[in-house]
Amino acid sequence: MNDRQPNAPTVSRAEIAREYGPFETSEGVAGVTYDGHHVWAATGERLIAVDPDSGRIARSLSRPADAGTAFDGTHLYQLAEARIDKIDPATGAVLASIPAPGQGCDSGMAWADGSLWVGQYRERRIVQIDPATGAVLRTIESDRFVTGVSWADGELWHGTWEGDDSDLRRIDPDDGRVLERLELPAGVHVSGLESDGGDLFYCGGGRSGLLRAVRRPARAA
């Protein structure tokens, strides 16, 4: 007998495929993004690029990096207190800065369809902003503290972290309704979140200094 209520989200246990680190950081691992070759992680005073095959740090950029990270195919975007820096990943130079929508209360960040999608932790919402001006284009409300944000094949996912519990949630981008949840083991926390474009999510592990690869649920062909 199936007791699942209509419109109730699909719930399953998250499968942790691999752990990286812990890395020596001042503030743990916060934001996470993926450039097709390396996993970039915000670690407080620097951005590190981790080789997902070897687990080694391939590069390091000395930039303020205390929350979400995103990659648009060419540039990195990094939350740094109350602003978002657009960074040349080759040199580490800041090319432009815009105000962060939460004025320092932002958490995760992702790039999709020419916009930045910024998680706001205690406000429990995700805002879509113009990457050139920082203007807010739309807001999606959540019922949990929002950490990392990621788009994967047209699916909007975000991490949550409340108390000792974390999960990954796929939500309806139109109304914020939760469609699917992947529950992390107790004590395993999600800060940043990014899809690798395939079957993995990379998740920041907060103060643990760890980076985790979590299996993304398979979809029917």
Side-chain angles (χ1 to χ4, degrees):
M1 179 177 177
N2 186 356
D3 295 330
R4 182 167 172 258
Q5 298 298 313
N7 299 320
T10 301
V11 180
S12 56
R13 292 182 182 275
E15 178 188 351
I16 298 174
R18 184 171 177 180
E19 287 188 341
Y20 303 90
F23 301 102
E24 293 185 8
T25 71
S26 62
E27 300 182 14
V29 174
V32 175
T33 194
Y34 182 65
D35 68 4
H37 302 282
H38 298 111
V39 185
W40 289 86
T43 63
E45 298 174 348
R46 60 180 183 149
L47 273 161
I48 59 173
V50 178
D51 182 325
D53 293 326
S54 69
R56 296 177 179 172
I57 296 176
R59 295 192 54 211
S60 178
L61 301 177
S62 294
R63 301 299 326 167
D66 58 4
T69 312
F71 182 70
D72 69 358
T74 303
H75 303 104
L76 294 166
Y77 291 81
Q78 180 58 54
L79 278 161
E81 298 183 344
R83 69 179 190 277
I84 298 172
D85 292 333
K86 180 180 180 179
I87 298 170
D88 181 340
T91 65
V94 175
L95 305 177
S97 296
I98 57 174
Q103 300 180 330
C105 296
D106 309 277
S107 48
M109 188 163 59
W111 174 275
D113 298 330
S115 295
L116 287 169
W117 300 75
V118 183
Q120 295 184 327
Y121 184 66
R122 293 194 178 280
E123 288 72 14
R124 302 182 178 190
R125 63 190 180 194
I126 299 167
V127 294
Q128 177 188 4
I129 67 170
D130 183 325
T133 66
V136 174
L137 305 176
R138 60 179 295 206
T139 300
I140 302 171
E141 302 291 343
S142 176
D143 63 355
R144 297 281 289 178
F145 289 165
V146 174
T147 57
V149 180
S150 182
W151 282 88
D153 294 333
E155 298 177 348
L156 178 57
W157 288 79
H158 75 83
T160 76
W161 182 354
E162 288 198 35
D164 206 30
D165 298 324
S166 274
D167 64 12
L168 304 182
R169 296 182 166 206
R170 178 168 64 90
I171 64 173
D172 187 320
D174 292 325
D175 58 18
R177 181 166 52 92
V178 180
L179 304 175
E180 185 173 6
R181 294 177 48 230
L182 303 181
E183 295 180 333
L184 276 297
V188 175
H189 305 133
V190 175
S191 49
L193 175 68
E194 183 64 293
S195 163
D196 74 341
D199 65 349
L200 294 176
F201 287 116
Y202 292 112
C203 302
R207 291 282 182 183
S208 71
L210 292 169
L211 177 68
R212 295 183 176 91
V214 174
R215 196 77 63 191
R216 180 181 165 215
R219 303 292 184 222

